Amino acid sequence: MESNSPEPKSEVAMRAPAGHMMSPTDPDNPQNWPLTRKIYASTVATAFAFAVAFGVTSLTVGIQGVMQEFNVTMTMAVLGLSLPLFGIAFAPIFTPHLSERYGRSPVYLVSLPIFALFILGAAYSSNFGALAVCRFFAGFFGGPCLVLIEGTFADVWPASSTVTYYSFLSLASYIGAGCAPLVLGAVVTAKSWQWTQFVTLMISFGVYLFGIGVPETYPREILRARARRLGHSIQLSKAESGVTFAEMAQTTFFTPLSMAVSEPLVIMVTLYLALNFAVLFQWFIAVPAVLALTYEFTLHQVGLAFIAAIVGALVSTMTSSLTEKITNRQNSCRTGTAMARLEYRLVPAMLGSVGLCGSLFWVGFTASPKINYSVPIVGTGAYVWSSMSVLTGLVSYIFDAYPAKGTLSALTLMATVRILCAAWLPLVIIPMIMGLQGQWAYSVFGFMAAVMIAVPVIIFIYGARLQSRSRHAGRIMSGGSQNMTMGPHDDHEMQMGSGHA
């Protein structure tokens, strides 16, 4: 409500139950925008996430060049991949608070140029220490682009399409990360490792020009901007992410730590996604090494092998979207409502979890000179399909498993932990493969993944019961089946995811 001359539209928006804080009939509500504007806003968010994800994995193609120029070990050179991920791990903690105060568009438009400056610094580093520092801060400042994409999609698209839009936003990070070795394999062969950073700069510049006119999608900022434009004051309800520093720290630091030991739903999903992402990012180190040693692939040929990963991500988007459409349609026929029970968002994860386990044994036992190189390469594509399907199903479920503040805390924990694990495993994967041999190294992950197959099944059966016992789920509707309290349509803008990367 406004203090000077009340504006009926804003007053209705203040009372609206949706997390958008805007009336569903308000023309300024992003969900009421013309389709072209929705697509533009979503495409810009996708492009910014793509550019950062591309930059994160870009240096993996130049590891040999980094080792030779700076006279460092392979483990040290792999820090070129891990350090940006360590930087990105901070983004889920601070990005929601920036978004709450300034909206989404300014954060996008400031984050990417600073990311690009540190990428430029990495290209011109005269020693390994400078390279390491620049890569870390590139991830730290680029991370918000990977975090905000979730909030942007949730602002623009309805909750009934959560699985579909989450699969599309995940595609940005997966394809961005996969395209780096594909594109840069030939470039580095002809030039030098520095060109991994120069090409990232070119992509970032093009993306920035494309997105410079991106409209604001965060409903609270839209309401504030409209009030300023009309010369009115406006009093919005308290931000779920907190207002004071203590409240902000509680929401995105202390509560996530508490959930890590007290919330069975969050613990299971966090552990599964940590394994998922750790294995996902080790491929960027293991695949080049294995293909070069086992099949004598050149750097350019290694890059082409990542086509399988890109295809896997595309197929996951299609299958996840299709399962949501089928479950929603079946539910509409049975109950007359447009959206299926929350638990049915887990279907992609249940399918993907089987593939995740099987693909690890597939790759581990087929990467041999006696077996054609295409077999393990296709196996990595199967892993990527599985990985993205599991991520899409589990995160889409958590979106609405808790009220807004609880969801924000849960997603913060899940994103931070999985990115930290994604940064750690690439540092040790080559010694692990050498020590255990490829078959048993990936069998270890395969057996862990086999245990995790139970996670989406347990949540499907017992999720509503676990929610009802949670102290963070006080406003959840009974049964958890039509739980659309304030879910993703508020301050929820987590991970790559997000990655990711």
Side-chain angles (χ1 to χ4, degrees):
M1 59 188 67
E2 299 178 354
S3 59
N4 295 332
S5 53
E7 184 186 359
K9 185 184 295 183
S10 295
E11 190 170 332
V12 172
M14 293 298 300
R15 296 198 303 264
H20 271 287
M21 300 296 295
M22 298 182 75
S23 166
T25 61
D26 190 329
D28 290 333
N29 187 329
Q31 296 203 7
N32 294 329
W33 287 353
L35 181 61
T36 53
R37 198 177 192 204
K38 287 184 173 185
I39 291 174
Y40 174 63
S42 302
T43 305
V44 169
T46 299
F48 275 58
F50 174 94
V52 174
F54 186 99
V56 168
T57 58
S58 62
L59 201 62
T60 60
V61 184
I63 283 179
Q64 291 299 322
V66 170
M67 291 171 62
Q68 293 169 8
E69 180 162 338
F70 299 120
N71 192 28
V72 295
T73 64
M74 184 172 188
T75 300
M76 291 286 286
V78 171
L79 283 170
L81 168 65
S82 294
L83 284 170
L85 290 169
F86 282 126
I88 290 169
F90 290 92
I93 299 172
F94 68 81
T95 302
H97 309 303
L98 292 177
S99 180
E100 165 56 33
R101 277 144 191 81
Y102 306 108
R104 306 202 198 281
S105 298
V107 180
Y108 278 122
L109 296 175
V110 171
S111 175
L112 190 65
I114 300 177
F115 161 81
L117 286 175
F118 280 103
I119 290 293
L120 181 63
Y124 285 106
S125 295
S126 58
N127 56 70
F128 185 76
L131 175 65
V133 169
C134 286
R135 291 286 292 171
F136 172 83
F137 282 107
F140 183 86
F141 287 104
C145 293
L146 297 167
V147 170
L148 282 175
I149 185 173
E150 287 191 10
T152 298
F153 274 64
D155 293 339
V156 170
W157 305 104
S160 59
S161 61
T162 298
V163 171
T164 297
Y165 78 62
Y166 196 86
S167 65
F168 273 94
L169 69 88
S170 298
L171 196 63
S173 299
Y174 274 76
I175 290 191
C179 278
L182 173 62
V183 172
L184 297 172
V187 174
V188 173
T189 300
K191 298 287 185 179
S192 65
W193 71 266
Q194 284 88 349
W195 277 85
T196 62
Q197 308 305 283
F198 292 145
V199 173
T200 302
L201 273 174
M202 296 174 194
I203 291 173
S204 299
F205 181 70
V207 163
Y208 193 82
L209 291 180
F210 171 68
I212 201 166
V214 63
E216 180 57 59
T217 65
Y218 187 40
R220 292 172 67 89
E221 181 58 25
I222 292 173
L223 289 172
R224 290 192 293 250
R226 185 166 67 188
R228 289 192 298 267
R229 187 173 66 250
L230 297 174
H232 297 159
S233 62
I234 186 170
Q235 184 64 47
L236 296 176
S237 61
K238 189 174 181 179
E240 293 290 341
S241 57
V243 176
T244 66
F245 180 80
E247 290 171 341
M248 292 186 288
Q250 183 66 41
T251 302
T252 59
F253 187 77
F254 292 109
T255 299
L257 290 179
S258 172
M259 285 182 146
V261 296
S262 64
E263 288 290 318
L265 276 177
V266 175
I267 293 169
M268 287 189 289
V269 174
T270 300
L271 290 176
Y272 198 175
L273 294 183
L275 172 66
N276 182 343
F277 263 50
V279 176
L280 179 68
F281 276 86
Q282 62 81 35
W283 294 125
F284 291 98
I285 303 303
V287 167
V290 170
L291 291 180
L293 292 174
T294 306
Y295 299 105
E296 299 182 347
F297 269 37
T298 65
L299 196 57
H300 178 48
Q301 289 172 319
V302 167
L304 293 175
F306 280 86
I307 292 175
I310 294 171
V311 171
L314 289 168
V315 173
S316 176
T317 299
M318 291 187 289
T319 55
S320 295
S321 302
L322 182 62
T323 57
E324 181 175 60
K325 186 171 293 187
I326 292 172
T327 54
N328 282 350
R329 183 178 299 169
Q330 290 176 340
N331 185 73
S332 179
C333 293
R334 288 196 306 265
T335 67
T337 56
M339 187 161 49
R341 292 174 58 224
L342 180 61
E343 289 77 16
Y344 283 93
R345 293 183 185 178
L346 293 164
V347 172
M350 289 190 284
L351 297 174
S353 62
V354 177
L356 198 77
C357 173
S359 61
L360 288 167
F361 291 106
W362 177 350
V363 174
F365 283 91
T366 59
S368 165
K370 298 178 181 179
I371 299 175
N372 188 273
Y373 64 83
S374 63
V375 178
I377 288 175
V378 173
T380 61
Y383 181 89
V384 170
W385 170 81
S386 306
S387 166
M388 190 168 151
S389 298
V390 168
L391 175 71
T392 298
L394 292 178
V395 174
S396 296
Y397 175 85
I398 292 294
F399 263 4
D400 289 301
Y402 297 92
K405 186 175 292 188
T407 300
L408 179 56
S409 298
L411 293 177
T412 299
L413 174 69
M414 289 157 47
T416 301
V417 170
R418 73 171 178 266
I419 295 168
L420 289 174
C421 291
W424 165 76
L425 188 57
L427 294 171
V428 300
I429 189 59
I430 297 301
M432 186 175 179
I433 291 174
M434 298 297 291
L436 295 177
Q437 300 302 312
Q439 297 93 327
W440 294 110
Y442 286 106
S443 291
V444 169
F445 299 134
F447 289 126
M448 294 170 68
V451 174
M452 293 296 181
I453 290 175
V455 168
V457 178
I458 290 172
I459 297 175
F460 187 90
I461 298 172
Y462 299 107
R465 190 179 305 174
L466 292 171
Q467 290 174 43
S468 67
R469 296 177 179 176
S470 170
R471 64 187 180 90
H472 298 282
R475 285 181 291 165
I476 292 182
M477 297 174 67
S478 61
S481 59
Q482 296 297 334
N483 166 24
M484 294 295 120
T485 51
M486 289 179 69
H489 303 288
D490 195 14
D491 292 337
H492 311 331
E493 54 234 327
M494 292 294 99
Q495 80 260 15
M496 292 189 306
S498 4
H500 340 265

